Amino acid sequence: MTSAKEAFITQLQQMVTTQNWEEHHHLENHNEFEAQLQQFLETYGISISDVHVLAYIGDHENTNAISIANALGITRSGISKITARLLKKELIQAQHAENSKKELAYVLTPAGREIHLVHGHVHQQILQQLETVLEAYSEAEIICIQKFLADLERVFL
């Protein structure tokens, strides 16, 4: 895969994971992992935003609310509500941060790790589908598409 394609996939992935785009996830049981993720959403009564917070915590164990908020582009108040919900549903645990008795750090519980794993599989499948689509485009076309998306991002964000 070329460097422009890699950069483009990274850009798309960031757009998906950093925006609160509930409608982006069309989980209509297209495959096993999407079906599992949909089941978790229903069983635990969680949203895609909740899953993205779980995913961030899974990728950055012992992280705090400020780091999560900054990385995902969600307000601190929003992260506070999401982490409270995830704590209540026993998908994460809070512990005192190593360097501060006031600050809390979050880690996944076994159930949270399971959701994180399935979510990662769904994202891998999406990336594979994107790579397949991008194979039809030349390097110059991908650069043009990247520029177009960047221009759109400035308009809408």
Side-chain angles (χ1 to χ4, degrees), residues 70-100:
N70 291 340
L72 299 181
I74 300 174
T75 64
R76 290 182 189 176
S77 148
I79 292 299
S80 178
K81 290 175 187 172
I82 291 171
T83 54
R85 187 168 43 250
L86 296 174
L87 284 163
K88 185 176 179 182
K89 294 179 184 290
E90 298 180 352
L91 296 172
I92 62 172
Q93 292 177 333
Q95 54 197 28
H96 290 288
E98 293 176 10
N99 57 351
S100 170

PDB file of all heavy atoms in Angstrom, residues 70-100:
ATOM      1  N   ASN A  70      -9.712  14.831  25.517  1.00  0.00           N
ATOM      2  CA  ASN A  70      -8.867  15.458  24.493  1.00  0.00           C
ATOM      3  C   ASN A  70      -8.720  14.574  23.263  1.00  0.00           C
ATOM      4  O   ASN A  70      -8.794  15.045  22.131  1.00  0.00           O
ATOM      5  CB  ASN A  70      -7.492  15.797  25.066  1.00  0.00           C
ATOM      6  CG  ASN A  70      -7.552  16.923  26.076  1.00  0.00           C
ATOM      7  OD1 ASN A  70      -8.496  17.706  26.119  1.00  0.00           O
ATOM      8  ND2 ASN A  70      -6.549  16.998  26.926  1.00  0.00           N
ATOM      9  N   ALA A  71      -8.513  13.291  23.475  1.00  0.00           N
ATOM     10  CA  ALA A  71      -8.282  12.375  22.356  1.00  0.00           C
ATOM     11  C   ALA A  71      -9.536  12.168  21.509  1.00  0.00           C
ATOM     12  O   ALA A  71      -9.447  12.066  20.292  1.00  0.00           O
ATOM     13  CB  ALA A  71      -7.783  11.035  22.871  1.00  0.00           C
ATOM     14  N   LEU A  72     -10.694  12.109  22.148  1.00  0.00           N
ATOM     15  CA  LEU A  72     -11.921  11.797  21.426  1.00  0.00           C
ATOM     16  C   LEU A  72     -12.739  13.024  21.047  1.00  0.00           C
ATOM     17  O   LEU A  72     -13.756  12.889  20.367  1.00  0.00           O
ATOM     18  CB  LEU A  72     -12.787  10.824  22.246  1.00  0.00           C
ATOM     19  CG  LEU A  72     -12.141   9.467  22.545  1.00  0.00           C
ATOM     20  CD1 LEU A  72     -13.101   8.591  23.341  1.00  0.00           C
ATOM     21  CD2 LEU A  72     -11.689   8.776  21.282  1.00  0.00           C
ATOM     22  N   GLY A  73     -12.314  14.194  21.493  1.00  0.00           N
ATOM     23  CA  GLY A  73     -13.045  15.407  21.148  1.00  0.00           C
ATOM     24  C   GLY A  73     -14.408  15.481  21.820  1.00  0.00           C
ATOM     25  O   GLY A  73     -15.362  16.017  21.269  1.00  0.00           O
ATOM     26  N   ILE A  74     -14.496  14.923  23.017  1.00  0.00           N
ATOM     27  CA  ILE A  74     -15.730  14.961  23.807  1.00  0.00           C
ATOM     28  C   ILE A  74     -15.454  15.856  25.005  1.00  0.00           C
ATOM     29  O   ILE A  74     -14.346  15.855  25.552  1.00  0.00           O
ATOM     30  CB  ILE A  74     -16.129  13.535  24.269  1.00  0.00           C
ATOM     31  CG1 ILE A  74     -16.347  12.625  23.056  1.00  0.00           C
ATOM     32  CG2 ILE A  74     -17.366  13.563  25.147  1.00  0.00           C
ATOM     33  CD1 ILE A  74     -16.598  11.159  23.411  1.00  0.00           C
ATOM     34  N   THR A  75     -16.450  16.607  25.443  1.00  0.00           N
ATOM     35  CA  THR A  75     -16.247  17.489  26.589  1.00  0.00           C
ATOM     36  C   THR A  75     -15.941  16.672  27.844  1.00  0.00           C
ATOM     37  O   THR A  75     -16.302  15.500  27.945  1.00  0.00           O
ATOM     38  CB  THR A  75     -17.499  18.350  26.864  1.00  0.00           C
ATOM     39  OG1 THR A  75     -18.574  17.478  27.238  1.00  0.00           O
ATOM     40  CG2 THR A  75     -17.874  19.192  25.654  1.00  0.00           C
ATOM     41  N   ARG A  76     -15.301  17.319  28.808  1.00  0.00           N
ATOM     42  CA  ARG A  76     -15.000  16.640  30.074  1.00  0.00           C
ATOM     43  C   ARG A  76     -16.286  16.214  30.759  1.00  0.00           C
ATOM     44  O   ARG A  76     -16.356  15.142  31.371  1.00  0.00           O
ATOM     45  CB  ARG A  76     -14.180  17.544  30.986  1.00  0.00           C
ATOM     46  CG  ARG A  76     -12.775  17.740  30.470  1.00  0.00           C
ATOM     47  CD  ARG A  76     -11.975  18.606  31.412  1.00  0.00           C
ATOM     48  NE  ARG A  76     -10.706  18.953  30.785  1.00  0.00           N
ATOM     49  CZ  ARG A  76      -9.830  19.755  31.329  1.00  0.00           C
ATOM     50  NH1 ARG A  76     -10.073  20.292  32.507  1.00  0.00           N
ATOM     51  NH2 ARG A  76      -8.713  20.032  30.704  1.00  0.00           N
ATOM     52  N   SER A  77     -17.299  17.047  30.664  1.00  0.00           N
ATOM     53  CA  SER A  77     -18.594  16.704  31.250  1.00  0.00           C
ATOM     54  C   SER A  77     -19.183  15.470  30.572  1.00  0.00           C
ATOM     55  O   SER A  77     -19.732  14.582  31.230  1.00  0.00           O
ATOM     56  CB  SER A  77     -19.519  17.922  31.113  1.00  0.00           C
ATOM     57  OG  SER A  77     -20.831  17.574  30.949  1.00  0.00           O
ATOM     58  N   GLY A  78     -19.050  15.394  29.244  1.00  0.00           N
ATOM     59  CA  GLY A  78     -19.529  14.224  28.511  1.00  0.00           C
ATOM     60  C   GLY A  78     -18.775  12.970  28.916  1.00  0.00           C
ATOM     61  O   GLY A  78     -19.374  11.898  29.102  1.00  0.00           O
ATOM     62  N   ILE A  79     -17.462  13.082  29.077  1.00  0.00           N
ATOM     63  CA  ILE A  79     -16.644  11.940  29.501  1.00  0.00           C
ATOM     64  C   ILE A  79     -17.035  11.523  30.915  1.00  0.00           C
ATOM     65  O   ILE A  79     -17.116  10.327  31.223  1.00  0.00           O
ATOM     66  CB  ILE A  79     -15.135  12.258  29.418  1.00  0.00           C
ATOM     67  CG1 ILE A  79     -14.710  12.415  27.960  1.00  0.00           C
ATOM     68  CG2 ILE A  79     -14.294  11.196  30.122  1.00  0.00           C
ATOM     69  CD1 ILE A  79     -14.907  11.183  27.095  1.00  0.00           C
ATOM     70  N   SER A  80     -17.305  12.481  31.755  1.00  0.00           N
ATOM     71  CA  SER A  80     -17.720  12.178  33.125  1.00  0.00           C
ATOM     72  C   SER A  80     -19.005  11.352  33.131  1.00  0.00           C
ATOM     73  O   SER A  80     -19.118  10.361  33.862  1.00  0.00           O
ATOM     74  CB  SER A  80     -17.923  13.484  33.902  1.00  0.00           C
ATOM     75  OG  SER A  80     -18.358  13.208  35.205  1.00  0.00           O
ATOM     76  N   LYS A  81     -19.956  11.728  32.292  1.00  0.00           N
ATOM     77  CA  LYS A  81     -21.218  10.985  32.207  1.00  0.00           C
ATOM     78  C   LYS A  81     -20.994   9.583  31.638  1.00  0.00           C
ATOM     79  O   LYS A  81     -21.554   8.606  32.134  1.00  0.00           O
ATOM     80  CB  LYS A  81     -22.223  11.740  31.336  1.00  0.00           C
ATOM     81  CG  LYS A  81     -22.732  13.011  31.976  1.00  0.00           C
ATOM     82  CD  LYS A  81     -23.616  13.786  31.033  1.00  0.00           C
ATOM     83  CE  LYS A  81     -23.970  15.140  31.656  1.00  0.00           C
ATOM     84  NZ  LYS A  81     -24.659  16.002  30.721  1.00  0.00           N
ATOM     85  N   ILE A  82     -20.170   9.506  30.599  1.00  0.00           N
ATOM     86  CA  ILE A  82     -19.909   8.201  29.975  1.00  0.00           C
ATOM     87  C   ILE A  82     -19.168   7.282  30.943  1.00  0.00           C
ATOM     88  O   ILE A  82     -19.547   6.112  31.107  1.00  0.00           O
ATOM     89  CB  ILE A  82     -19.124   8.368  28.655  1.00  0.00           C
ATOM     90  CG1 ILE A  82     -20.024   9.026  27.594  1.00  0.00           C
ATOM     91  CG2 ILE A  82     -18.597   7.021  28.162  1.00  0.00           C
ATOM     92  CD1 ILE A  82     -19.296   9.429  26.318  1.00  0.00           C
ATOM     93  N   THR A  83     -18.124   7.790  31.603  1.00  0.00           N
ATOM     94  CA  THR A  83     -17.375   6.927  32.523  1.00  0.00           C
ATOM     95  C   THR A  83     -18.246   6.511  33.705  1.00  0.00           C
ATOM     96  O   THR A  83     -18.146   5.368  34.167  1.00  0.00           O
ATOM     97  CB  THR A  83     -16.068   7.588  33.009  1.00  0.00           C
ATOM     98  OG1 THR A  83     -16.347   8.866  33.570  1.00  0.00           O
ATOM     99  CG2 THR A  83     -15.058   7.710  31.884  1.00  0.00           C
ATOM    100  N   ALA A  84     -19.125   7.386  34.175  1.00  0.00           N
ATOM    101  CA  ALA A  84     -20.043   7.015  35.259  1.00  0.00           C
ATOM    102  C   ALA A  84     -20.947   5.863  34.811  1.00  0.00           C
ATOM    103  O   ALA A  84     -21.180   4.903  35.563  1.00  0.00           O
ATOM    104  CB  ALA A  84     -20.876   8.219  35.692  1.00  0.00           C
ATOM    105  N   ARG A  85     -21.430   5.951  33.583  1.00  0.00           N
ATOM    106  CA  ARG A  85     -22.295   4.898  33.033  1.00  0.00           C
ATOM    107  C   ARG A  85     -21.515   3.590  32.888  1.00  0.00           C
ATOM    108  O   ARG A  85     -22.005   2.510  33.236  1.00  0.00           O
ATOM    109  CB  ARG A  85     -22.864   5.364  31.689  1.00  0.00           C
ATOM    110  CG  ARG A  85     -23.890   4.479  31.072  1.00  0.00           C
ATOM    111  CD  ARG A  85     -24.646   5.101  29.898  1.00  0.00           C
ATOM    112  NE  ARG A  85     -23.848   5.853  28.942  1.00  0.00           N
ATOM    113  CZ  ARG A  85     -23.887   7.185  28.801  1.00  0.00           C
ATOM    114  NH1 ARG A  85     -24.696   7.922  29.557  1.00  0.00           N
ATOM    115  NH2 ARG A  85     -23.148   7.777  27.897  1.00  0.00           N
ATOM    116  N   LEU A  86     -20.283   3.679  32.380  1.00  0.00           N
ATOM    117  CA  LEU A  86     -19.458   2.490  32.190  1.00  0.00           C
ATOM    118  C   LEU A  86     -19.051   1.860  33.533  1.00  0.00           C
ATOM    119  O   LEU A  86     -18.957   0.639  33.644  1.00  0.00           O
ATOM    120  CB  LEU A  86     -18.225   2.812  31.348  1.00  0.00           C
ATOM    121  CG  LEU A  86     -18.512   3.247  29.905  1.00  0.00           C
ATOM    122  CD1 LEU A  86     -17.222   3.686  29.213  1.00  0.00           C
ATOM    123  CD2 LEU A  86     -19.216   2.149  29.122  1.00  0.00           C
ATOM    124  N   LEU A  87     -18.822   2.696  34.533  1.00  0.00           N
ATOM    125  CA  LEU A  87     -18.527   2.185  35.881  1.00  0.00           C
ATOM    126  C   LEU A  87     -19.742   1.450  36.437  1.00  0.00           C
ATOM    127  O   LEU A  87     -19.611   0.345  36.986  1.00  0.00           O
ATOM    128  CB  LEU A  87     -18.137   3.336  36.820  1.00  0.00           C
ATOM    129  CG  LEU A  87     -16.737   3.908  36.649  1.00  0.00           C
ATOM    130  CD1 LEU A  87     -16.619   5.267  37.323  1.00  0.00           C
ATOM    131  CD2 LEU A  87     -15.696   2.932  37.193  1.00  0.00           C
ATOM    132  N   LYS A  88     -20.904   2.052  36.284  1.00  0.00           N
ATOM    133  CA  LYS A  88     -22.151   1.457  36.793  1.00  0.00           C
ATOM    134  C   LYS A  88     -22.432   0.111  36.120  1.00  0.00           C
ATOM    135  O   LYS A  88     -22.900  -0.825  36.751  1.00  0.00           O
ATOM    136  CB  LYS A  88     -23.320   2.411  36.561  1.00  0.00           C
ATOM    137  CG  LYS A  88     -24.617   1.948  37.147  1.00  0.00           C
ATOM    138  CD  LYS A  88     -25.706   2.976  36.962  1.00  0.00           C
ATOM    139  CE  LYS A  88     -27.007   2.474  37.545  1.00  0.00           C
ATOM    140  NZ  LYS A  88     -28.093   3.424  37.339  1.00  0.00           N
ATOM    141  N   LYS A  89     -22.099   0.008  34.850  1.00  0.00           N
ATOM    142  CA  LYS A  89     -22.338  -1.226  34.100  1.00  0.00           C
ATOM    143  C   LYS A  89     -21.176  -2.207  34.237  1.00  0.00           C
ATOM    144  O   LYS A  89     -21.165  -3.254  33.606  1.00  0.00           O
ATOM    145  CB  LYS A  89     -22.610  -0.891  32.638  1.00  0.00           C
ATOM    146  CG  LYS A  89     -23.914  -0.110  32.487  1.00  0.00           C
ATOM    147  CD  LYS A  89     -24.198   0.257  31.071  1.00  0.00           C
ATOM    148  CE  LYS A  89     -25.433   1.097  30.971  1.00  0.00           C
ATOM    149  NZ  LYS A  89     -26.668   0.397  31.241  1.00  0.00           N
ATOM    150  N   GLU A  90     -20.201  -1.842  35.074  1.00  0.00           N
ATOM    151  CA  GLU A  90     -19.030  -2.664  35.379  1.00  0.00           C
ATOM    152  C   GLU A  90     -18.223  -3.042  34.133  1.00  0.00           C
ATOM    153  O   GLU A  90     -17.718  -4.155  34.003  1.00  0.00           O
ATOM    154  CB  GLU A  90     -19.434  -3.902  36.180  1.00  0.00           C
ATOM    155  CG  GLU A  90     -20.044  -3.544  37.510  1.00  0.00           C
ATOM    156  CD  GLU A  90     -20.453  -4.752  38.349  1.00  0.00           C
ATOM    157  OE1 GLU A  90     -20.404  -5.893  37.854  1.00  0.00           O
ATOM    158  OE2 GLU A  90     -20.823  -4.525  39.515  1.00  0.00           O
ATOM    159  N   LEU A  91     -18.089  -2.076  33.223  1.00  0.00           N
ATOM    160  CA  LEU A  91     -17.272  -2.271  32.023  1.00  0.00           C
ATOM    161  C   LEU A  91     -15.879  -1.669  32.201  1.00  0.00           C
ATOM    162  O   LEU A  91     -14.953  -2.020  31.475  1.00  0.00           O
ATOM    163  CB  LEU A  91     -17.972  -1.678  30.803  1.00  0.00           C
ATOM    164  CG  LEU A  91     -19.305  -2.359  30.456  1.00  0.00           C
ATOM    165  CD1 LEU A  91     -20.024  -1.598  29.363  1.00  0.00           C
ATOM    166  CD2 LEU A  91     -19.076  -3.807  30.056  1.00  0.00           C
ATOM    167  N   ILE A  92     -15.762  -0.735  33.165  1.00  0.00           N
ATOM    168  CA  ILE A  92     -14.466  -0.156  33.526  1.00  0.00           C
ATOM    169  C   ILE A  92     -14.371  -0.105  35.040  1.00  0.00           C
ATOM    170  O   ILE A  92     -15.384  -0.223  35.741  1.00  0.00           O
ATOM    171  CB  ILE A  92     -14.250   1.266  32.941  1.00  0.00           C
ATOM    172  CG1 ILE A  92     -15.292   2.258  33.471  1.00  0.00           C
ATOM    173  CG2 ILE A  92     -14.217   1.242  31.426  1.00  0.00           C
ATOM    174  CD1 ILE A  92     -15.028   3.706  33.092  1.00  0.00           C
ATOM    175  N   GLN A  93     -13.154   0.075  35.520  1.00  0.00           N
ATOM    176  CA  GLN A  93     -12.903   0.297  36.940  1.00  0.00           C
ATOM    177  C   GLN A  93     -12.096   1.575  37.064  1.00  0.00           C
ATOM    178  O   GLN A  93     -11.295   1.898  36.179  1.00  0.00           O
ATOM    179  CB  GLN A  93     -12.109  -0.852  37.552  1.00  0.00           C
ATOM    180  CG  GLN A  93     -12.861  -2.146  37.616  1.00  0.00           C
ATOM    181  CD  GLN A  93     -11.990  -3.279  38.162  1.00  0.00           C
ATOM    182  OE1 GLN A  93     -10.772  -3.258  38.031  1.00  0.00           O
ATOM    183  NE2 GLN A  93     -12.631  -4.271  38.759  1.00  0.00           N
ATOM    184  N   ALA A  94     -12.308   2.279  38.158  1.00  0.00           N
ATOM    185  CA  ALA A  94     -11.541   3.489  38.444  1.00  0.00           C
ATOM    186  C   ALA A  94     -10.591   3.196  39.587  1.00  0.00           C
ATOM    187  O   ALA A  94     -10.940   2.483  40.532  1.00  0.00           O
ATOM    188  CB  ALA A  94     -12.475   4.627  38.815  1.00  0.00           C
ATOM    189  N   GLN A  95      -9.416   3.721  39.470  1.00  0.00           N
ATOM    190  CA  GLN A  95      -8.433   3.610  40.545  1.00  0.00           C
ATOM    191  C   GLN A  95      -7.670   4.917  40.609  1.00  0.00           C
ATOM    192  O   GLN A  95      -7.683   5.694  39.658  1.00  0.00           O
ATOM    193  CB  GLN A  95      -7.502   2.422  40.305  1.00  0.00           C
ATOM    194  CG  GLN A  95      -6.827   2.453  38.946  1.00  0.00           C
ATOM    195  CD  GLN A  95      -6.240   1.107  38.562  1.00  0.00           C
ATOM    196  OE1 GLN A  95      -6.719   0.079  38.986  1.00  0.00           O
ATOM    197  NE2 GLN A  95      -5.207   1.135  37.747  1.00  0.00           N
ATOM    198  N   HIS A  96      -7.038   5.159  41.733  1.00  0.00           N
ATOM    199  CA  HIS A  96      -6.276   6.395  41.860  1.00  0.00           C
ATOM    200  C   HIS A  96      -5.073   6.338  40.928  1.00  0.00           C
ATOM    201  O   HIS A  96      -4.402   5.313  40.828  1.00  0.00           O
ATOM    202  CB  HIS A  96      -5.826   6.630  43.299  1.00  0.00           C
ATOM    203  CG  HIS A  96      -6.965   6.970  44.206  1.00  0.00           C
ATOM    204  ND1 HIS A  96      -7.615   8.180  44.150  1.00  0.00           N
ATOM    205  CD2 HIS A  96      -7.598   6.241  45.154  1.00  0.00           C
ATOM    206  CE1 HIS A  96      -8.588   8.195  45.039  1.00  0.00           C
ATOM    207  NE2 HIS A  96      -8.601   7.021  45.660  1.00  0.00           N
ATOM    208  N   ALA A  97      -4.836   7.454  40.248  1.00  0.00           N
ATOM    209  CA  ALA A  97      -3.681   7.547  39.354  1.00  0.00           C
ATOM    210  C   ALA A  97      -2.405   7.426  40.180  1.00  0.00           C
ATOM    211  O   ALA A  97      -2.366   7.800  41.345  1.00  0.00           O
ATOM    212  CB  ALA A  97      -3.710   8.874  38.600  1.00  0.00           C
ATOM    213  N   GLU A  98      -1.378   6.906  39.538  1.00  0.00           N
ATOM    214  CA  GLU A  98      -0.109   6.676  40.238  1.00  0.00           C
ATOM    215  C   GLU A  98       0.484   7.954  40.810  1.00  0.00           C
ATOM    216  O   GLU A  98       1.068   7.946  41.877  1.00  0.00           O
ATOM    217  CB  GLU A  98       0.901   6.031  39.291  1.00  0.00           C
ATOM    218  CG  GLU A  98       0.525   4.630  38.890  1.00  0.00           C
ATOM    219  CD  GLU A  98       1.476   4.042  37.872  1.00  0.00           C
ATOM    220  OE1 GLU A  98       2.538   4.638  37.617  1.00  0.00           O
ATOM    221  OE2 GLU A  98       1.150   2.975  37.339  1.00  0.00           O
ATOM    222  N   ASN A  99       0.312   9.059  40.095  1.00  0.00           N
ATOM    223  CA  ASN A  99       0.956  10.309  40.507  1.00  0.00           C
ATOM    224  C   ASN A  99       0.020  11.265  41.244  1.00  0.00           C
ATOM    225  O   ASN A  99       0.421  12.368  41.578  1.00  0.00           O
ATOM    226  CB  ASN A  99       1.570  11.011  39.300  1.00  0.00           C
ATOM    227  CG  ASN A  99       0.531  11.281  38.216  1.00  0.00           C
ATOM    228  OD1 ASN A  99      -0.603  10.805  38.301  1.00  0.00           O
ATOM    229  ND2 ASN A  99       0.908  12.036  37.217  1.00  0.00           N
ATOM    230  N   SER A 100      -1.224  10.859  41.526  1.00  0.00           N
ATOM    231  CA  SER A 100      -2.169  11.765  42.161  1.00  0.00           C
ATOM    232  C   SER A 100      -3.227  10.976  42.913  1.00  0.00           C
ATOM    233  O   SER A 100      -3.799  10.030  42.388  1.00  0.00           O
ATOM    234  CB  SER A 100      -2.840  12.643  41.100  1.00  0.00           C
ATOM    235  OG  SER A 100      -3.909  13.360  41.656  1.00  0.00           O
TER     236      SER A 100
END
